[in-house]
């Protein structure tokens, strides 16, 4: 076990941070954040958008504009979020959706309440543990990714409608109107949209119903600069607008989904659709250097492990160690490995399995794990197994963030899993079905598409929700909404969100810098640190000398984020990793 190191905060100081009122402690023991002033300082490389009354940050400028207009017209953050959610289903069909599911965190400062809406897809009632295995008992990824059985029962329509009903001021018809108009009249295709179609064309051209949407009548793909209209999707949204959210689950749309399933041997039935309900859950709560961190609870692993990693990292003076220095990346990577090892063993849908959440998120367990970290040497993943949190028990996705000046903040991540999900459009309904069933462990111990290992806790069971990594997160400071963040990126979601939090709290970055800064990722298996462009060769050499394998990868995540300054100014950071990203303040 390593001894005390100058970069380690003594354990009692770390504990003090979590127990004592923060304002004074922060000024003496941890770096002084500079973000309170930095949003308006000249001389920085990155500048956030500013707003006096609110902020929206989404992955598509049309959705951001629509959400901005809702706020400008007197709607609240939830109205704007639901409207943006439906708009993204039209403008960004690779991940925005009504055929998938997700999680929405809502913080209401006035009632001091943070709730999580779980609208994750569910396995159909006829699903069974070995449904994606061949006769030899081997997992067959083709089955869990590209067939009608790859789809869980979609939750997005019910989830967004529930959020609006509970916290919104608009009717569902009003929230759907901009999406219906966009689907009906169309919009001009941006380059990113056209590139996405081209990259996925092998999959998209496989199904007649999908070709009808994404290919022109002459058989060629839509191109940048052309107008893209979706009449079937417009009609589906119009039906939901007229008849309410249950139309999707019990009306003509449900019948179209059921017909699609029956025509292609899918397991999902009318009863599965009629039985779908979203759930309100308590988010996972932790603290980091005195800030309150709220993030998504199971069936997402996001909240559990962002809190677990922050707890481990709280014991180091990350600010003094420096942003993306070899030392900082080393301890981040070691914390990430240990969290992902636990993820593989313990995480699943808490409606079906017991997850030792209190243990995983406890400061004491983090201290035990931190003590295993050698500050000078990488621990090979083969030497890391899931720990034992039980004694500590006390009893292409898209993300958007929206906040308003009534004290509401919304952090929403939703998905159809891969870019374009299963690649299967429901014939006549105009939307893509998810392939979220691949997020279950097709066979415990076999990695999913993101290389994530799942255990027994995440085995397929009827009506169970598959484990997710989505990490919609809201950080509060002294009871006020402070940071609203989250990201797409499969297994990289949790670590991307972690780094936005650390960039703001440890490194004092303004929100645009925090979002733009180069990222790293380690998920235990494979045993490597993935880095984005922007980490120096010297740093890589130092990491390799410590025993790490480092691999440079394409950009990770797209963390559309908002930071609210002490004076109430809203600052927005659009992630440059998506060319259509947009933050707009008002
Ligand atoms: N489908 C990716 C996730 O939910 O984590």
């Amino acid at each position: 076990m390593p001894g005390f190191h100058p970069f380690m905060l003594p354990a009692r100081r770390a504990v003090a941070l979590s127990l004592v009122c923060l304002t004074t402690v922060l000024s003496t023991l941890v770096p002084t954040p500079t973000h309170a002033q930095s949003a308006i300082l000249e001389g920085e490389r990155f500048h956030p958008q500013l707003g006096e009354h609110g902020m929206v940050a989404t992955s598509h400028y049309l959705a951001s504009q629509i959400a901005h207009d809702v706020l400008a017209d007197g709607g609240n953050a939830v109205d704007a979020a639901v409207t943006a959610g439906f708009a993204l289903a039209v403008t960004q069909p690779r991940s925005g959706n009504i055929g998938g599911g997700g999680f929405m965190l809502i913080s209401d400062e006035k009632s001091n309440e943070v709730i999580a809406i779980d609208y994750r897809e569910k396995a159909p009632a006829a699903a069974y543990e070995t449904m994606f295995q061949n006769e030899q008992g081997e997992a067959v990824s083709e089955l869990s990714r590209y067939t009608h059985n790859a789809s869980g029962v979609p939750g997005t329509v019910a989830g967004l409608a529930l959020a609006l009903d509970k916290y919104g001021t608009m009717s569902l018809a009003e929230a759907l109107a901009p999406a219906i108009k966009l689907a009906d009249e169309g919009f001009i295709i941006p380059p990113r949209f056209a590139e996405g179609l081209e990259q996925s064309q092998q999959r998209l051209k496989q199904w007649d119903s999908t070709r009808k949407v994404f290919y022109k009548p002459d058989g060629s793909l839509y191109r940048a600069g052309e107008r893209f209209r979706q009449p079937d999707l417009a009609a589906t949204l119009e039906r939901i607008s007229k008849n309410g959210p249950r139309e999707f689950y019990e009306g003509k749309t449900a019948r179209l989904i059921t017909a699609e399933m029956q025509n292609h041997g899918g397991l999902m039935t009318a009863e599965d659709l009629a039985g779908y309900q979203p759930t309100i859950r308590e988010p996972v709560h932790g603290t980091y250097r005195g800030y309150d961190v709220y993030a998504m609870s199971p069936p997402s692993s996001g909240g559990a492990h962002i809190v677990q990693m922050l707890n481990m990292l709280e014991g180091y003076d990350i600010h003094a160690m420096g942003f993306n220095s070899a030392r900082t990346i080393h301890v981040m990577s070691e914390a990430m490995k240990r969290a992902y090892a636990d993820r593989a063993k313990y995480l699943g849908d808490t409606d079906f399995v017991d997850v030792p959440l209190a243990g995983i998120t406890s400061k004491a367990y983090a201290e035990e794990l931190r003590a295993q970290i050698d500050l000078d040497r990488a621990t090979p993943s083969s030497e890391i197994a899931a720990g034992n949190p039980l004694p500590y028990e006390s009893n292409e996705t898209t993300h958007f963030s929206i906040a308003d000046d009534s004290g509401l903040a919304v952090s929403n991540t939703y998905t159809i899993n891969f870019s374009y999900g299963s690649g299967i459009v429901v014939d006549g309904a105009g939307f893509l079905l998810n392939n979220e069933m691949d997020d279950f462990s097709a066979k415990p111990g076999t990695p999913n598409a993101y290389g994530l290992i799942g255990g027994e806790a995440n085995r397929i069971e009827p009506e169970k929700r598959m484990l997710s990594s989505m990490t919609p997160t809201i950080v509060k400071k002294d009871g006020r909404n402070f940071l609203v963040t989250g990201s797409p990126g499969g297994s990289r979601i949790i670590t991307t969100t972690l780094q936005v939090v650390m960039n703001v709290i440890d490194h004092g970055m303004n929100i645009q810098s925090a979002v733009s800064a180069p990222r790293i990722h380690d998920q235990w298996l494979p045993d490597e640190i993935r880095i984005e462009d922007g980490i120096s060769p010297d740093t890589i050499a130092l990491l390799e000398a410590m025993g790490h394998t480092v691999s440079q990868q394409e950009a990770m995540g797209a963390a559309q984020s908002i930071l609210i300054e002490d004076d109430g100014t809203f600052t927005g950071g659009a992630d440059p990793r998506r060319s259509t990203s947009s933050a707009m303040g008002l």
Side-chain angles (χ1 to χ4, degrees), residues 95-431:
S95 53
N97 69 82
I98 57 171
F103 305 112
M104 180 183 282
L105 243 66
I106 301 173
S107 169
D108 182 358
E109 274 179 14
K110 281 198 202 121
S111 61
N112 200 24
E113 188 185 30
V114 185
I115 63 137
I117 297 182
D118 169 1
Y119 59 97
R120 181 72 161 166
E121 302 91 327
K122 281 179 144 180
Y128 53 98
E129 186 172 357
T130 56
M131 64 188 277
F132 300 127
Q133 295 177 17
N134 62 17
E135 282 171 7
Q136 288 72 47
E138 296 154 344
V140 183
S141 58
E142 183 71 22
L143 296 178
S144 58
R145 296 175 192 176
Y146 306 120
T147 65
H148 286 73
N149 279 341
S151 302
V153 183
T156 296
V157 172
L160 295 183
L162 176 64
L164 196 64
D165 191 45
K166 198 165 162 52
Y167 286 97
T169 65
M170 291 166 65
S171 67
L172 185 63
E174 287 170 321
L176 278 159
I180 295 170
K181 189 167 160 28
L182 271 173
D184 186 37
E185 295 178 1
F187 58 91
I188 300 302
I189 293 181
R192 178 167 187 266
F193 187 113
E195 279 159 25
L197 292 182
E198 209 159 308
Q199 282 158 7
S200 303
Q201 58 180 306
Q202 286 312 325
R203 240 167 351 114
L204 298 179
K205 71 179 179 203
Q206 216 179 315
W207 303 94
D208 286 346
S209 55
T210 308
R211 271 201 306 275
K212 258 193 256 171
V213 174
F214 296 108
Y215 283 76
K216 291 182 283 190
D218 69 4
S220 65
L221 271 178
Y222 280 96
R223 301 203 173 281
E226 294 178 341
R227 182 166 287 274
F228 182 61
R229 301 178 61 195
Q230 299 168 84
D232 282 349
L233 179 57
T236 297
L237 295 171
E238 187 69 53
R239 284 194 300 278
I240 299 168
S241 167
K242 282 210 176 89
N243 304 313
R246 294 315 299 172
E247 195 287 330
F248 185 92
Y249 297 94
E250 295 169 49
K252 180 174 174 186
T253 307
R255 289 194 288 281
L256 289 169
I257 298 171
T258 311
E260 181 70 37
M261 290 291 156
Q262 281 167 355
N263 291 339
H264 298 278
L267 289 180
M268 199 188 300
T269 63
E271 290 70 36
D272 289 323
L273 287 160
Y276 185 88
Q277 293 293 342
T279 305
I280 295 184
R281 298 191 190 273
E282 205 180 308
V284 172
H285 172 247
T287 60
Y288 187 59
R289 306 200 196 281
Y291 293 79
D292 285 290
V293 179
Y294 297 89
M296 190 61 216
S297 39
S300 182
S301 57
H305 296 302
I306 195 169
V307 167
Q308 184 187 20
M309 290 187 281
L310 287 169
N311 282 343
M312 281 187 255
L313 292 164
E314 197 174 39
Y316 303 105
D317 191 346
I318 297 287
H319 181 72
M321 290 159 73
F323 169 70
N324 275 356
S325 66
R327 186 73 70 191
T328 299
I329 293 176
H330 169 67
V331 295
M332 285 165 68
S333 151
E334 293 297 305
M336 288 172 183
K337 277 191 268 196
R338 285 160 176 83
Y340 277 78
D342 277 356
R343 182 191 189 279
K345 176 161 181 181
Y346 294 111
L347 267 286
D349 180 351
T350 39
D351 290 347
F352 287 75
V353 292
D354 288 332
V355 174
L357 202 53
I360 288 172
T361 58
S362 84
K363 299 272 186 201
Y365 180 50
E367 208 169 302
E368 181 190 311
L369 294 178
R370 192 189 312 121
Q372 298 166 6
I373 297 175
D374 183 332
L375 278 167
D376 300 313
R377 188 189 147 265
T379 314
S381 291
S382 56
E383 290 175 20
I384 296 176
N388 183 15
L390 299 168
Y392 301 97
E393 280 283 289
S394 57
N395 89 9
E396 199 145 295
T397 308
T398 188
H399 175 83
F400 55 85
S401 301
I402 301 185
D404 69 26
D405 62 3
S406 78
L408 277 177
V410 178
S411 176
N412 187 87
T413 316
Y414 73 155
T415 185
I416 44 177
N417 199 18
F418 290 10
S419 242
Y420 306 100
S422 64
I424 300 169
V425 163
V426 177
D427 200 15
F431 63 86

Side-chain angles (χ1 to χ4, degrees), residues 518-532:
R519 298 183 184 129
I520 68 120
H521 172 74
D522 194 323
Q523 61 182 51
W524 175 50
L525 296 173
D527 188 356
E528 62 176 15
I529 304 178
R530 302 178 198 180
I531 57 163
E532 287 184 334

Side-chain angles (χ1 to χ4, degrees), residues 120 397 415 417 436 439 450 468-470 493:
R120 181 72 161 166
T397 308
T415 185
N417 199 18
E436 224 71 63
D439 274 350
Y450 305 102
S468 172
S469 298
M470 291 189 281
I493 292 175

